[in-house]
Amino acid sequence: MKTLVYIDHFKGAVQPSSWEALGVAKKFGAAIAVAFGENASEIAKSAFEHGADEIYIADDAALKDYLPEQYASTLSALATTLNPSLILFPTTARTRELAAMCAVDLNSNVMTDLTGLEANGDSFTATRPIYESKLFEEINGTGKPVIATLRGRAFPKPNAEAGKTGTMHKVALAGEVKSTVEGYSASESAVNLADAGVIVSGGRGVSNNPALTPPAGLDEKGAELWRAQQGFALVTELAKVLGGAIGASRAAVDSGYIPYSHQVGQTGKVVAPDLYIANGISGAIQHLVGVRNAKIIVAINKDADAPIFKVARYGVVGDLFQILPALTAAFKKKLGK
Amino acid sequence: MKIIACIKQVPDSEAKIKAENGQISWGDAPLVINPFDEYAVEGALQQKEATNGTVTALCIGPETAKEALKHALAMGADAAILVSDPALNDLDTLGAAKILAAAIQKIGAEMVVFGRQTLDNGAGVTSAQTARLLGYPMLGLAGSIKVNEGSVTVERVLEEGKQIVNAKLPAVISVVQSIGEPRYPSFMGIRKASKAEIPVWSLGDLGISAPEQTIKRTALATPPARETAAEIITGETPEEIAEKLADKIIAEKVL
Ligand SMILES: Cc1cc2nc3c(=O)[nH]c(=O)nc-3n(C[C@H](O)[C@H](O)[C@H](O)COP(=O)(O)OP(=O)(O)OC[C@H]3O[C@@H](n4cnc5c(N)ncnc54)[C@H](O)[C@@H]3O)c2cc1C
Ligand SMILES: Nc1ncnc2c1ncn2[C@@H]1O[C@H](COP(=O)(O)O)[C@@H](O)[C@H]1O
């Protein structure tokens, strides 16, 4: 059986869950990687090391920016030629669009955000969360090809085999240009919550340290933001020591403490880290639906009755401004950093 | 400018969702407009104001979904249309996209606004599928929208940062929270909505047959419940608490 695996990347930085998708493809048979973009050829080496048997590359200056219509047309054309049984994507904002469009082009459909996938004769049986992970459904995809996006960290990451190579093919860009990228502003910190093994998060509580005196001349909102910066600095310190990403509650985002891209929860990101440390987050249901798949949740909160303690494995009832620096120091010492 | 906002009705987020005899139940929890689609209505209304246009809310669902459409009307939408047909009970995303595309063509619009994803199915693909079927550009995850003489510029909110993308109208746009808090229905709006007659279109009215289903649900499972009480780490000083907590976490082998 033949599977196409779309390697998602942003300006050359590959989404690690792309390798997980390659691992799943290998389980079923031949894995053919596909990567588009300026300098996509540089991705080939890693793709081979992670198990790709072949790779199709569209490496073209015109593909500098991700353009959904052209990427989708190029991928659909390739699928029509190669006739795979399955097309796999890691789940990202980009791939939801691409998979959706290819499903239309190929007259199939797409199963998104899978946490399980098994071959079943001519069809595939998949598992995916629904209703904000309150339930899981098992679905049977019978399209030709079956198209699926895989949830990050739900499948094992194949070990890279240094020096492994394969055949590289070039493909031409297809499809019509429907939009143009006019600009791009990088966020202050790249946020890759979906792939993070550790996430340290902050909520409204990160601004609540009356002991801190903000610089003179700030109005009330300015002082609150200044306090929040001090709080998020502590969150960031711990995240650094643990090699983790920084998350936030919606209250923190709405109050302007940190950009929206950090938000975890119903209207933010659904994450699945091994360790999630919630600081000054009460644990509203809309936040919790985003962390249901975390292996271990740790909560630091002043309020012993905060609902976050109902889902946490470990909790500290206390002031995050005291606990966080001590915890960072303890990890530094114990992890030898 | 003519604008369409696509909205779905879903069980409220607070609902206790259960699998019972292979069926999904949410007890007596209320059905509401998909929270992500409230942002779609908000985004559409902003453009209505900016361009002196009109907003039509469009929904596929059972008769009860009229309530979600009334919410959109109360927020300020000018019209609402429900597509309802017994043959549409088991729609998958591509099926929904085919119906939406047919209805959008029948209504006619320069801009079609979607939510990021549904709360129940959570696929986040129906917008791009609809765009592809219509041949319109797809501008996904917009945090702001600006129309300028037949073209539209959006700021896409991506993991890696913000991307400014421009396309010709008509276009499909999906919006995220940064578009702005959905406005509360006004008193006048609620009165108007409660009296509104919402047209119901069948597949016959759209001139299409029921889409073939290529994804079928075969089973439902409830995830294992999380433990209900945290182990609370205590100590005399923050340092002592931190030491203990760090040891516990290290022993879990998650680092
Ligand atoms: C449709 C909808 C969608 C939503 N989507 C999301 C979402 O995606 N993500 C999300 O997070 N929320 C979401 N919400 C909002 C959610 O309901 C809560 O309002 C939000 O999660 C609260 O954030 P918080 O826990 O930071 O703030 P709060 O609830 O205000 O909690 C702050 C906590 O900090 C603690 N605290 C204060 N000071 C300290 C201190 N010094 N040390 C330690 N602890 C301290 C307090 O005890 C309190 O528990 C959504 C709401 C709606 C209606
Ligand atoms: N039944 C429906 N009626 C109207 N719009 C819908 C329907 N289902 C999905 N949509 C739209 O498509 C978006 C994405 O849905 P989904 O792909 O299911 O996550 C939603 O936020 C809505 O804007």
Side-chain angles (χ1 to χ4, degrees):
Chain A
M1 193 171 82
K2 199 156 65 180
T3 303
L4 281 190
V5 179
Y6 179 81
I7 310 296
D8 187 47
H9 68 99
F10 185 78
K11 297 190 188 291
V14 174
Q15 289 284 331
S17 44
S18 304
W19 308 140
E20 295 159 19
L22 264 183
V24 173
K26 286 298 284 181
K27 204 175 70 174
F28 298 138
I32 304 172
V34 184
F36 305 147
E38 194 180 27
N39 302 329
S41 310
E42 287 163 21
I43 290 169
K45 184 169 168 284
S46 299
F48 291 133
E49 294 187 345
H50 284 92
D53 299 298
E54 293 174 64
I55 187 164
Y56 284 79
I57 298 278
D59 186 343
D60 188 321
L63 290 168
K64 177 163 71 68
D65 294 300
Y66 157 75
L67 295 167
E69 285 80 13
Q70 283 185 290
Y71 274 42
S73 295
T74 311
L75 189 55
S76 297
L78 197 57
T80 307
T81 317
L82 298 176
N83 199 23
S85 313
L86 180 67
I87 308 181
L88 290 179
F89 299 78
T91 308
T92 67
R94 284 178 290 275
T95 64
R96 282 193 206 251
E97 286 177 4
L98 290 179
M101 292 185 183
C102 289
V104 171
D105 295 353
L106 302 170
N107 200 22
S108 179
N109 203 350
V110 52
M111 309 192 283
T112 47
D113 214 19
L114 305 185
T115 55
L117 181 64
E118 296 298 333
N120 195 349
D122 268 354
S123 65
F124 287 86
T125 301
T127 312
R128 65 188 290 271
I130 52 172
Y131 291 86
E132 310 173 280
S133 301
K134 290 175 188 166
L135 288 179
F136 281 79
E137 67 173 359
E138 190 188 283
I139 48 179
N140 200 30
T142 54
K144 272 262 164 307
V146 165
I147 302 174
T149 82
L150 306 182
R151 173 172 279 201
R153 303 180 49 76
F155 298 88
K157 185 169 285 161
N159 290 328
E161 238 180 89
K164 195 176 162 287
T165 59
T167 326
M168 184 160 98
H169 314 268
K170 292 270 169 128
V171 287
L173 180 57
E176 205 185 320
V177 182
K178 291 215 185 260
S179 56
T180 47
V181 176
E182 295 193 330
Y184 170 77
S185 60
S187 54
E188 304 85 275
S189 47
V191 201
N192 195 348
L193 292 171
D195 286 309
V198 174
I199 297 174
V200 186
S201 267
R204 203 198 307 273
V206 297
S207 65
N208 182 26
N209 187 352
L212 289 174
T213 315
L218 290 177
D219 59 8
E220 206 179 309
K221 183 68 194 170
E224 180 190 342
L225 288 178
W226 182 85
R227 286 203 171 89
Q229 271 171 15
Q230 318 307 308
F232 263 113
L234 302 179
V235 169
T236 307
E237 272 296 296
L238 179 58
K240 264 200 198 129
V241 170
L242 299 179
I246 299 161
S249 74
R250 172 151 167 198
V253 168
D254 281 352
S255 310
Y257 300 170
I258 189 162
Y260 163 68
S261 44
H262 292 268
Q263 184 181 315
V264 170
Q266 185 194 102
T267 35
K269 301 246 157 47
V270 173
V271 298
D274 295 325
L275 176 62
Y276 186 82
I277 306 183
N279 300 286
I281 294 178
S282 61
I285 177 84
Q286 294 90 353
H287 187 80
L288 296 184
V289 295
V291 297
R292 231 182 268 277
N293 301 297
K295 251 190 218 130
I296 300 217
I297 297 175
V298 175
I300 300 174
N301 195 304
K302 272 172 115 158
D303 174 8
D305 293 326
I308 188 83
F309 288 120
K310 294 224 168 70
V311 296
R313 168 112 17 120
Y314 301 110
V316 176
V317 180
D319 186 345
L320 69 92
F321 285 88
Q322 298 187 347
I323 305 296
L324 263 184
L327 191 58
T328 303
F331 275 123
K332 260 192 189 152
K333 190 176 76 189
K334 290 178 199 289
L335 300 175
K337 291 198 179 162
Chain B
M1 184 173 64
K2 283 184 81 178
I3 306 159
I4 295 175
C6 294
I7 65 165
K8 192 180 184 187
Q9 190 185 44
V10 297
D12 188 74
S13 177
E14 313 265 343
K16 295 244 179 309
I17 305 285
K18 275 190 275 194
E20 276 173 0
N21 312 320
Q23 296 290 317
I24 295 169
S25 87
W26 49 85
D28 51 12
L31 290 164
V32 296
I33 178 173
N34 178 35
F36 298 102
D37 298 346
E38 272 187 87
Y39 293 104
V41 177
E42 173 59 33
L45 291 173
Q46 288 172 8
Q47 294 314 306
K48 165 187 161 154
E49 284 154 4
T51 66
N52 200 11
T54 60
V55 172
T56 302
L58 171 63
C59 175
I60 312 168
E63 192 75 15
T64 52
K66 280 186 177 169
E67 288 307 313
L69 287 168
K70 285 189 174 170
H71 184 86
L73 288 171
M75 283 174 73
D78 302 278
I81 289 165
L82 178 70
V83 179
S84 200
D85 199 299
L88 299 180
N89 282 345
D90 295 310
L91 270 190
D92 54 29
T93 57
L94 188 56
K98 285 177 177 165
I99 307 290
L100 290 174
I104 289 162
Q105 266 167 336
K106 187 168 155 122
I107 300 165
E110 279 92 55
M111 181 185 290
V112 188
V113 189
F114 283 75
R116 188 183 83 179
Q117 60 184 184
T118 45
L119 203 73
D120 49 359
N121 185 36
V125 297
T126 307
S127 48
Q129 290 183 321
T130 307
R132 194 69 166 179
L133 287 165
L134 291 167
Y136 294 177
M138 174 69 215
L139 303 168
L141 309 179
S144 72
I145 306 172
K146 201 163 165 40
V147 170
N148 187 5
E149 288 176 17
S151 81
V152 59
T153 303
V154 305
E155 194 176 61
R156 303 191 57 188
V157 183
L158 300 172
E159 269 93 350
E160 298 87 359
K162 287 185 179 146
Q163 199 183 31
I164 322 285
V165 184
N166 178 274
K168 283 216 173 65
L169 293 170
V172 170
I173 300 175
S174 77
V175 298
V176 294
Q177 185 185 327
S178 322
I179 203 80
E181 270 313 290
R183 61 198 68 188
Y184 286 107
S186 66
F187 177 70
M188 289 294 287
I190 294 170
R191 275 231 331 236
K192 200 185 88 199
S194 68
K195 290 200 209 113
E197 284 290 332
I198 296 178
V200 181
W201 290 354
S202 67
L203 284 175
D205 293 325
L206 291 175
I208 54 174
S209 49
E212 192 199 337
Q213 202 192 351
T214 54
I215 296 180
K216 290 202 173 79
R217 181 182 293 151
T218 48
L220 282 170
T222 310
R226 291 202 84 95
E227 62 241 274
T228 49
E231 179 182 336
I232 302 291
I233 313 290
T234 54
E236 293 298 317
T237 61
E239 287 70 31
E240 186 189 335
I241 296 173
E243 284 278 324
K244 283 196 208 164
L245 179 57
D247 284 337
K248 293 270 185 194
I249 293 172
I250 289 168
E252 294 279 357
K253 301 212 182 314
V254 288
L255 290 174

